[in-house]
Amino acid sequence: MRVAIYPGSFDPITNGHLDIITRGSKIFDRLIVGVLVNIDKKGLFTIEERVELIKKVTKHLPNVEVICFNGLLVDLAKEYNAKVILKGLRAVSDFEYEFQMALMNSQLDPNIETLFMMTSSEYSYLSSSSVKQVAKFGGKINGLVPDEIITEVYNKIRNLGGE
Ligand code: PNS
């Protein structure tokens, strides 16, 4: 059984993330989407809310599971017996950050490989932060995040005063 973990902050999930999840689900027998804490980022949604949003938009993918984890990514991978960490790469600008994390994770556990999947070109400019910026100032986020969560993103930003 080929198990992979697709980790991230997913605050919120974007169509770029969903593209990687969909493509990854065809390659691995089991794909665990792990919502993890990135200590460098201040969150909009709680970790539990992010999990619910991802579950909502991946329910048609039977081999995808969504979980949250408060700890090291390699420990999560071990818990699920995953030998692969799947990551999406948008542009050269992602490379340094992702390379650093991949090397750190391989230093923590050399048995786990990080595999990068190129983002589809239509999503190469997309990030959760830019979605939040656009939504905060009333711009349209259609096509940027899955349709089923558009209202939730607007509501959350409105309720928190655009934090
Ligand atoms: O979507 P992001 O914010 O780029 O995802 C980063 C994330 C959450 C995958 C990363 O911060 C992470 O792995 N956090 C868990 C703690 C950990 O294992 N750190 C060691 C790797 S540098």
Side-chain angles (χ1 to χ4, degrees):
M1 174 98 112
R2 288 165 306 174
V3 187
I5 305 271
Y6 177 51
S9 308
F10 305 109
D11 186 37
I13 183 168
T14 68
N15 279 338
H17 295 131
L18 189 55
D19 171 56
I20 301 286
I21 295 171
T22 307
R23 288 159 60 205
S25 72
K26 294 179 187 151
I27 295 172
F28 297 98
D29 299 311
R30 198 174 168 208
L31 184 65
I32 315 290
V33 180
V35 181
L36 283 99
V37 177
N38 181 340
I39 55 166
D40 296 326
K41 288 183 184 169
K42 189 169 160 285
L44 173 66
F45 288 94
T46 66
I47 302 285
E48 291 74 21
E49 286 167 339
R50 297 177 210 179
V51 168
E52 288 314 310
L53 292 178
I54 305 170
K55 278 188 177 165
K56 196 170 173 180
V57 302
T58 57
K59 58 175 188 284
H60 61 291
L61 301 168
N63 61 338
V64 171
E65 289 157 63
V66 190
I67 52 107
C68 59
F69 189 74
N70 195 354
L72 283 178
L73 176 55
V74 290
D75 290 336
L76 175 66
K78 241 174 272 170
E79 194 176 309
Y80 280 84
N81 202 19
K83 295 279 176 283
V84 170
I85 293 168
L86 177 67
K87 299 243 49 191
L89 211 52
R90 287 167 299 192
V92 182
S93 48
D94 279 343
F95 181 80
E96 204 165 311
Y97 167 68
E98 292 296 345
F99 188 41
Q100 201 175 53
M101 280 198 289
L103 290 182
M104 179 59 80
N105 286 324
S106 105
Q107 198 265 333
L108 291 169
D109 189 337
N111 297 313
I112 300 171
E113 288 290 346
T114 302
L115 291 187
F116 290 98
M117 195 178 255
M118 290 304 167
T119 236
S120 299
S121 58
E122 66 260 47
Y123 304 126
S124 60
Y125 63 94
L126 199 50
S127 68
S128 298
S129 327
S130 60
V131 166
K132 285 182 273 193
Q133 290 257 352
V134 172
K136 178 175 173 179
F137 296 110
K140 280 179 77 166
I141 56 171
N142 306 60
L144 307 183
V145 300
D147 288 346
E148 307 97 290
I149 71 163
I150 288 177
T151 311
E152 271 143 302
V153 175
Y154 278 130
N155 286 347
K156 186 77 178 180
I157 286 184
R158 203 174 303 133
N159 293 342
L160 291 188
E163 253 187 87

